[in-house]
Amino acid sequence: MIVASFCFFTVLVALWSLLKYKSYYTTTLSGFFLAGKSNSFWMVGSALLLTNLSANQFIGENESVYINNLSVIGWGVSSVVAMLVVSEFLLPIYFKHGFRTIPDFLSLRFNAKTKLIVSVLILVGYIVNLLPPVLYGGALSLAIMFDVPAYFQISYWHSIWVLVWALGIIGSLYSILGGLKLISLSDVSLGLGLFLLALIIPVYAFWYLGSGNIWEGVQQVFLNKTEHLNAVGDKHDAVPFSTLFTGMLLINFYYWGMEPYIAQQTLSAKNLKEAQKGMTLAAGGKLLMPLLINLPGLLAIHLLPKVEPSASVFPNLIVHIFPDILVGFSLALVFGAAMTTYTAGLQSCGSLFIFNIYKPYLKQRNIIVSESQLVKKGKYFELIISLSAMFIAPFILFAHDGFYTYLQTVSGLFNMPIFTIMMMGILSQRVTPAMAQLGLFLYMISYFTLVFIWKLDLHYLHLFALLFVIIAIIIWIGSKVTQPHYKSTFQFEFSGLDRTSYWKGRHLVGTILILVMIAIYIVFSPLGLAQ
């Protein structure tokens, strides 16, 4: 019944998306990589939320709550601030200049060489730290919820290989054949499904915990074992509260405003107004996400006190409280979330390669190629990247410090150096291209040395912020010393487009979201439920 339910809901989403899909979106670069810049705010918001949500979070964050506390909600809940800042200041600039990829800004502010270097680094980062973990996390969920090793009488290692390749092949077909528009269409239906799941899980769990009395179940969760209800983490917790004001703030600002596979979703909007609405919708969704990626771990503390391994908390809870048809429904949504992140990553790889590497290469050699041929080359490149990710993913099983630690530590090697030079380019016209490139590699070398060689005893989010400040100062002083009279012709204008093109309701809704975020932290703190 679980398998039948999973297949039914998965096919239903695919059929709905195909019925709404138009084939002409795959004939042009804008159509294939940016959905023809035709997406409404519903599609943009759903795509942002689903692209951000993957099986990694279902597994990792629920596990963190189960073995620690609610401090891990900092990743999602605190991101609202960064998302609103991006909506107000960065999106108008992106739409004003018609950017197709985020490195386009680096070309405008610095030079084509900086844009090329960053594009290559992003591609390497996606191959190492985005696509393989997404496949591995999805495979892990499927293996546990379907009990694949026992069902097919194969080893756990072999089941991970089979599932990784199954996910990779399906995701590749979706991305390569349909492009961003097909992905965006499926995100709308998946978003609705996830919203329903976020409502159903607590109802079933509280009913189950209270032996048929939902209110009694609620009381058990929020009045007992209250140490797990604390979202204000100390230095020993998953996310210390102090990091929300240092590295967490920086990484969220980079992720929602500069991460190419996220920015590609906002750039697919019809106009700035729809993009700002979509970003705000996603911010509201982030405040609801704890119902899916944190509350199950909290519920499992009371329903399943001895889960081993702890990474299996979410799938074990789902199997424990749901009838088979809803287990299949849940699994289809987890599968869809994994596919959305994977396909978005593939799409971003294709667009970075075509727009920032292949087209400049052709232009340099005066070679003229039609858009349909460029789309075909982009598809070939996505296929190569996908195959690479499928070969790498299973070996994450042997990550010495665990799956989630692997994701956290490696991400800083690629994301924060790029964020540092992007911010220096935005804040100062005096920073030279040469110092920006030097700062990029200096940050990477410093981070690698401190984390992987010296193993510095400092939370990696604080390290992000510390290195950001140090490298930024080096870049600025180096620019003043090497080229004291340099001044970029490009000046970042925070006003962006004309104000009439902005969404008028952004400030009111943004204020409400900020107040809700603050309320969540007060409720889940020693001042509230975590007494």
Side-chain angles (χ1 to χ4, degrees):
M1 186 62 180
I2 294 176
V3 176
S5 174
F6 167 77
C7 293
F8 172 76
F9 288 113
T10 301
V11 171
L12 188 65
V13 170
L15 287 176
W16 183 87
S17 304
L18 287 169
L19 286 173
K20 296 288 185 178
Y21 180 71
K22 306 295 182 183
S23 60
Y24 59 74
Y25 284 113
T26 61
T27 59
T28 65
L29 290 175
S30 176
F32 186 72
F33 291 118
L34 294 171
K37 295 187 74 67
S38 63
N39 284 348
S40 65
F41 80 93
W42 286 106
M43 286 187 176
V44 173
S46 299
L48 286 170
L49 204 57
L50 267 294
T51 301
N52 170 249
L53 186 66
S54 69
N56 306 343
Q57 289 165 296
F58 281 101
I59 293 169
E61 293 209 15
N62 279 306
E63 178 190 19
S64 182
V65 174
Y66 185 76
I67 62 177
N68 186 223
N69 56 26
L70 281 174
S71 64
V72 75
I73 71 170
W75 281 110
V77 173
S78 71
S79 66
V80 169
V81 175
M83 295 170 80
L84 295 176
V85 171
V86 167
S87 176
E88 182 69 22
F89 297 112
L90 290 188
L91 293 188
I93 302 301
Y94 295 165
F95 276 83
K96 177 180 180 179
H97 293 284
F99 291 162
R100 294 166 300 187
T101 65
I102 294 306
D104 286 347
F105 167 76
L106 296 174
S107 179
L108 192 65
R109 169 58 183 85
F110 295 116
N111 55 27
K113 184 179 179 181
T114 307
K115 175 182 176 180
L116 176 62
I117 291 170
V118 169
S119 297
V120 172
L121 284 177
I122 292 171
L123 286 173
V124 173
Y126 281 8
I127 294 170
V128 173
N129 198 49
L130 174 67
L131 300 177
V134 167
L135 288 179
Y136 177 78
L140 183 64
S141 293
L142 292 168
I144 294 170
M145 295 179 82
F146 277 146
D147 196 11
V148 172
Y151 189 82
F152 290 104
Q153 295 296 303
I154 58 177
S155 69
Y156 184 72
W157 169 243
H158 288 138
S159 69
I160 291 295
W161 270 97
V162 170
L163 291 170
V164 159
W165 278 77
L167 290 168
I169 290 170
I170 294 171
S172 299
L173 290 173
Y174 219 76
S175 176
I176 293 169
L177 298 179
L180 189 63
K181 189 65 176 183
L182 184 60
I183 298 168
S184 300
L185 287 167
S186 67
D187 286 346
V188 175
S189 53
L190 286 170
L192 178 60
L194 286 169
F195 177 73
L196 292 174
L197 186 62
L199 298 177
I200 294 170
I201 287 177
V203 171
Y204 265 85
F206 290 139
W207 179 85
Y208 197 98
L209 188 61
S211 301
N213 187 324
I214 293 178
W215 178 241
E216 188 175 322
V218 171
Q219 288 180 309
Q220 284 193 48
V221 171
F222 293 107
L223 296 179
N224 299 312
K225 300 182 180 180
T226 55
E227 66 275 11
H228 289 278
L229 297 175
N230 190 13
V232 183
D234 60 29
K235 65 179 182 179
H236 301 295
D237 290 323
V239 179
F241 189 68
S242 59
T243 64
L244 301 186
F245 307 96
T246 58
M248 181 70 80
L249 183 63
L250 299 182
I251 200 70
N252 274 330
F253 191 56
Y254 169 81
Y255 182 83
W256 293 104
M258 302 174 189
E259 182 70 74
Y261 78 93
I262 288 293
Q264 194 170 352
Q265 311 302 324
T266 55
L267 295 176
S268 68
K270 295 176 183 178
N271 50 47
L272 174 62
K273 188 179 295 184
E274 294 296 302
Q276 288 181 321
K277 285 182 182 179
M279 182 66 78
T280 307
L281 176 64
K286 291 301 291 180
L287 294 178
L288 293 175
M289 275 302 104
L291 293 174
L292 277 175
I293 60 177
N294 304 119
L295 182 59
L298 195 61
L299 294 166
I301 294 167
H302 302 271
L303 286 168
L304 304 168
K306 295 181 180 179
V307 174
E308 290 293 340
S310 56
S312 64
V313 163
F314 176 76
N316 272 297
L317 179 76
I318 293 300
V319 171
H320 189 70
I321 66 172
F322 276 171
D324 287 352
I325 189 170
L326 287 181
V327 173
F329 174 68
S330 305
L331 190 55
L333 291 174
V334 173
F335 174 82
M339 283 300 92
T340 297
T341 306
Y342 188 70
T343 52
L346 282 180
Q347 277 284 300
S348 187
C349 287
S351 64
L352 285 167
F353 173 71
I354 292 298
F355 289 124
N356 299 351
I357 298 174
Y358 191 61
K359 278 190 75 176
Y361 168 81
L362 295 176
K363 184 178 180 181
Q364 193 176 26
R365 284 158 179 74
N366 295 317
I367 301 173
I368 300 175
V369 177
S370 67
E371 285 215 356
S372 60
Q373 288 177 304
L374 288 173
V375 169
K376 187 179 293 185
K377 294 292 184 184
K379 291 180 177 181
Y380 287 148
F381 185 76
E382 286 186 23
L383 179 60
I384 294 170
I385 294 296
S386 186
L387 289 171
S388 301
M390 286 187 274
F391 273 111
I392 294 171
F395 293 97
I396 297 176
L397 179 66
F398 303 108
H400 179 68
D401 293 321
F403 176 45
Y404 220 49
T405 304
Y406 165 86
L407 292 180
Q408 293 167 337
T409 53
V410 177
S411 66
L413 193 60
F414 299 97
N415 297 346
M416 291 312 296
I418 297 170
F419 172 78
T420 302
I421 67 167
M422 287 278 288
M423 287 305 299
M424 292 304 293
I426 289 171
L427 298 175
S428 174
Q429 288 180 270
R430 301 289 182 180
V431 173
T432 66
M435 285 308 301
Q437 293 163 24
L438 178 63
L440 189 70
F441 291 107
L442 189 58
Y443 194 117
M444 294 182 73
I445 294 168
S446 301
Y447 181 81
F448 183 84
T449 302
L450 292 172
V451 173
F452 296 102
I453 298 177
W454 288 357
K455 300 186 185 300
L456 184 68
D457 185 22
L458 178 68
H459 197 284
Y460 68 95
L461 287 171
H462 285 316
L463 182 59
F464 285 169
L466 180 63
L467 283 178
F468 169 75
V469 172
I470 293 172
I471 301 301
I473 292 173
I474 291 173
I475 290 173
W476 189 77
I477 293 175
S479 297
K480 293 284 287 184
V481 171
T482 56
Q483 291 181 256
H485 302 295
Y486 175 84
K487 186 176 183 180
S488 171
T489 55
F490 173 78
Q491 182 174 2
F492 190 90
E493 301 171 3
F494 284 100
S495 58
L497 292 170
D498 184 84
R499 290 284 173 174
T500 57
S501 62
Y502 286 46
W503 174 39
K504 292 181 180 179
R506 67 193 186 281
H507 292 148
L508 174 62
V509 177
T511 301
I512 293 171
L513 293 178
I514 293 292
L515 292 175
V516 172
M517 180 196 72
I518 294 171
I520 288 173
Y521 269 103
I522 292 174
V523 170
F524 295 102
S525 76
L527 297 175
L529 295 173
Q531 295 179 1

